[in-house]
């Protein structure tokens, strides 16, 4: 008989490594696993030099969070280890973050952390510890699918849905991962924390990028990639030079405020040409995109994609936007997503995540990072914007 984690062992014989960040969610996961009789081991990752962030509210994995995770483990009576992953995190997340901004992209470091650190390095550590499962506090669900592989789904609590940040999780990783909070809401999670008597039951959720304790990401990018702070021109889509800027890293596609130029019409950042140090601006309609080409594509569907195949799906181009009707096409080995209703403010470096439905507990079909964008009618744009997208 399968246990609550879909493993064919009694709980007492099932070792579960819990990734404990020091927050409410992962702490409750550890509590639930211990309560159900599993052999639980708590692991917390030290990801960066947290000296400057100890008193920074809203930043995860800082010194206070490590202390909180240790206290929770003690109160639950489970072993707890702190692993130094600073070097791995710097190379896989922080350096990539800075390079992405230097390239004129809009990075999502949480996705890189999940796919390169938590679900790769930590997963291997869990296996070394003899784990049958690695459990996390993410609000997402997984359950057995066809061919014996697990499938990934949106959680019950739509307001906490973290599936967008987990699209890069591979089928092999899903086989070992478990997400116990996928079937409950955040208020229910906090009630469990109070029931377990955890001191962090009312702790605020993490909001900031964990390795940016000051909230100013530009200081990190400028330190690691000083070329991203080099001045350049602000160029209209019609080719006119409108002014100067102090580094492409200070801009993102879709931005309206803080461009630093006066104009009779509202202007938006519609593209970044890092090579020429150009910030390209234009009217709102110049933001419209109807298709994107993806890199680092990860497919979680049941059947392999075939060249020339077109698949109906729903695409999410930002974590705060709902999935919209789309078509997936595999052309010359590249994955192209046609956005049937169009989107605006779509930036290279962001993720495009695919689902089999528009709402509810839809299945995650996969996704990738946006490499190129295509406007609805390139003929209406100027040469500069065509070069960008």
């Amino acid at each position: 008989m399968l246990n609550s984690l879909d493993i064919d062992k009694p709980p007492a014989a099932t070792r579960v490594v819990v990734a404990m960040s020091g927050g409410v969610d992962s702490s409750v996961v550890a509590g639930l696993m211990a309560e159900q009789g599993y052999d639980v081991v708590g692991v917390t990752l030290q990801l960066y030099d947290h000296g400057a962030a100890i008193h920074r509210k809203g930043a995860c994995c800082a010194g206070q969070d490590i202390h909180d995770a240790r206290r929770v483990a003690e109160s639950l009576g489970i072993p707890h280890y702190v692993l130094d992953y600073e070097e791995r995190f710097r190379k896989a997340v922080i350096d990539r973050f800075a390079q992405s901004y230097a390239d004129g992209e809009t990075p999502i470091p949480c996705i890189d952390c999940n796919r390169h650190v938590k679900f790769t390095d930590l997963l291997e550590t869990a296996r070394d510890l003899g784990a049958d499962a690695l459990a996390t506090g993410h609000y997402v669900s997984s359950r057995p699918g066809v061919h014996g592989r697990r499938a990934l789904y949106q959680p019950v609590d739509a307001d906490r849905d973290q599936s967008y940040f987990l699209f890069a999780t591979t089928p092999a990783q899903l086989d070992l991962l478990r997400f116990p909070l996928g079937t409950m809401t955040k208020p229910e999670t906090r009630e469990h924390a109070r029931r377990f008597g955890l001191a962090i039951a009312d702790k605020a959720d993490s909001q900031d990028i964990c390795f940016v304790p000051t909230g100013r990401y530009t200081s990190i990018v400028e330190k690691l990639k000083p070329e991203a702070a080099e001045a350049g021109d602000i160029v209209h889509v019609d080719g006119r030079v409108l002014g100067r800027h102090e580094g492409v890293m200070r801009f993102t596609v879709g931005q309206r405020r803080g461009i630093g130029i006066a104009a009779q019409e509202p202007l938006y950042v519609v593209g970044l040409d890092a090579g020429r140090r150009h910030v390209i601006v234009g009217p709102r309609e110049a933001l419209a995109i109807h298709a994107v080409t993806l890199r680092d594509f990860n497919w979680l569907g049941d059947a392999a994609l075939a060249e020339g195949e077109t698949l109906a799906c729903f695409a999410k181009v930002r974590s705060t936007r709902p999935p919209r009707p789309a078509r997936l096409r595999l052309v010359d080995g590249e994955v192209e997503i046609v956005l049937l209703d169009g989107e605006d403010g779509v930036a290279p470096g962001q993720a495009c995540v695919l689902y089999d439905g528009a709402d509810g507990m839809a299945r995650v079909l996969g996704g990738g990072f946006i490499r190129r964008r295509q406007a609805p009618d390139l003929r209406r744009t100027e040469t500069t914007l065509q070069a960008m997208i």
Side-chain angles (χ1 to χ4, degrees):
M1 178 179 292
L2 300 179
N3 58 34
S4 64
L5 298 179
D6 298 322
I7 297 172
D8 189 14
K9 287 185 179 182
T14 304
R15 171 158 289 186
V16 181
V17 170
V18 179
M20 300 180 66
S21 67
V24 178
D25 299 327
S26 59
S27 297
V28 167
V29 168
L32 291 171
M33 296 296 95
E35 183 179 57
Q36 294 174 28
Y38 289 100
D39 175 13
V40 182
V41 177
V43 171
T44 300
L45 305 183
Q46 181 172 315
L47 299 178
Y48 61 96
D49 182 359
H50 52 73
I54 290 177
H55 301 294
R56 172 68 175 175
K57 292 183 178 180
C60 71
C61 308
Q64 182 61 49
D65 295 315
I66 293 174
H67 174 69
D68 288 344
R70 183 179 291 114
R71 286 199 306 165
V72 167
E74 289 176 354
S75 69
L76 295 174
I78 63 173
H80 176 255
Y81 302 96
V82 178
L83 305 180
D84 183 356
Y85 275 31
E86 285 191 29
E87 181 66 15
R88 307 180 198 191
F89 186 74
R90 181 186 63 79
K91 292 180 179 179
V93 181
I94 299 178
D95 287 352
R96 287 173 178 267
F97 175 82
Q99 183 64 58
S100 187
Y101 268 111
D103 292 340
E105 296 183 339
T106 301
I108 310 176
C110 292
I111 295 178
D112 277 336
C113 183
N114 286 331
R115 70 176 183 146
H116 292 301
V117 179
K118 293 179 180 176
F119 295 164
T120 300
D121 294 330
L122 180 55
L123 209 60
E124 287 303 314
T125 298
R127 289 191 178 99
D128 290 342
L129 292 172
D132 296 289
L134 172 64
T136 79
H138 290 98
Y139 283 88
V140 68
S141 292
S142 72
R143 51 182 182 265
V146 301
H147 311 305
R149 307 309 295 260
R150 298 185 71 82
L152 192 65
Y153 296 85
Q154 292 177 296
V156 166
D157 192 338
D159 292 334
R160 297 286 170 173
D161 181 9
Q162 293 175 295
S163 61
Y164 179 84
F165 301 98
L166 299 177
F167 80 86
T169 309
T170 67
Q173 291 168 346
L174 280 177
D175 286 344
L176 194 67
L177 287 165
R178 296 295 186 272
F179 308 103
L181 302 187
T183 57
M184 66 181 68
T185 65
K186 183 69 177 205
E188 290 173 334
T189 299
R190 289 198 184 276
E191 281 303 312
H192 280 299
R194 297 185 186 99
R195 183 170 64 83
F196 293 140
L198 303 182
I200 47 80
D202 296 309
K203 185 175 180 178
D205 293 331
S206 298
Q207 300 293 333
D208 297 339
I209 298 173
C210 67
F211 56 90
V212 187
T214 64
R216 293 184 57 196
Y217 71 88
T218 53
S219 60
I220 289 179
V221 177
E222 186 171 7
K223 178 181 178 181
L224 297 176
K225 294 291 177 180
E227 64 271 22
E230 294 178 0
D233 290 332
I234 300 175
V235 183
H236 195 278
V237 294
D238 63 13
R240 290 177 294 143
V241 176
L242 302 182
R244 297 282 287 175
H245 65 79
E246 297 182 351
V248 294
M249 68 177 184
R250 306 181 193 280
F251 300 87
T252 187
V253 172
Q255 177 179 335
R256 178 182 175 186
R257 299 183 183 276
I259 297 177
I261 55 175
Q264 293 182 340
E265 62 175 350
L267 293 177
Y268 298 80
V269 176
V270 300
L272 299 171
D273 186 337
R276 291 185 288 183
R277 299 197 298 277
H278 284 177
V279 172
I280 303 168
V281 299
R284 183 177 180 85
E285 56 264 27
L287 288 170
I289 295 297
H290 90 103
V292 294
T293 301
L294 306 183
R295 60 172 171 82
D296 298 334
F297 186 71
N298 182 53
W299 178 243
L300 294 173
D302 294 329
L305 296 174
E307 180 70 25
E309 180 180 4
T310 297
L311 177 70
C313 59
F314 294 82
K316 191 172 188 176
V317 295
R318 282 192 178 178
S319 63
T320 55
R321 293 184 183 179
R324 305 285 295 275
R327 294 285 187 273
L328 180 157
R329 299 193 305 209
L330 186 62
V331 182
D332 296 329
E334 286 194 326
V335 174
E336 181 183 69
I337 306 300
V338 178
L339 307 168
L340 300 185
D341 297 331
E343 288 278 7
D344 58 22
V346 178
Q350 292 177 329
C352 176
V353 182
L354 309 178
Y355 300 83
D356 69 355
D359 49 37
M361 295 182 65
R363 181 179 177 180
V364 181
L365 297 176
F369 294 98
I370 296 169
R371 185 161 67 90
R372 292 197 307 268
R373 304 166 295 156
Q374 184 177 344
D377 183 2
L378 287 176
R379 291 172 298 179
R380 70 173 177 79
T381 63
E382 300 296 329
T383 302
T384 303
L385 182 57
Q386 290 183 34
M388 282 302 304
I389 64 178

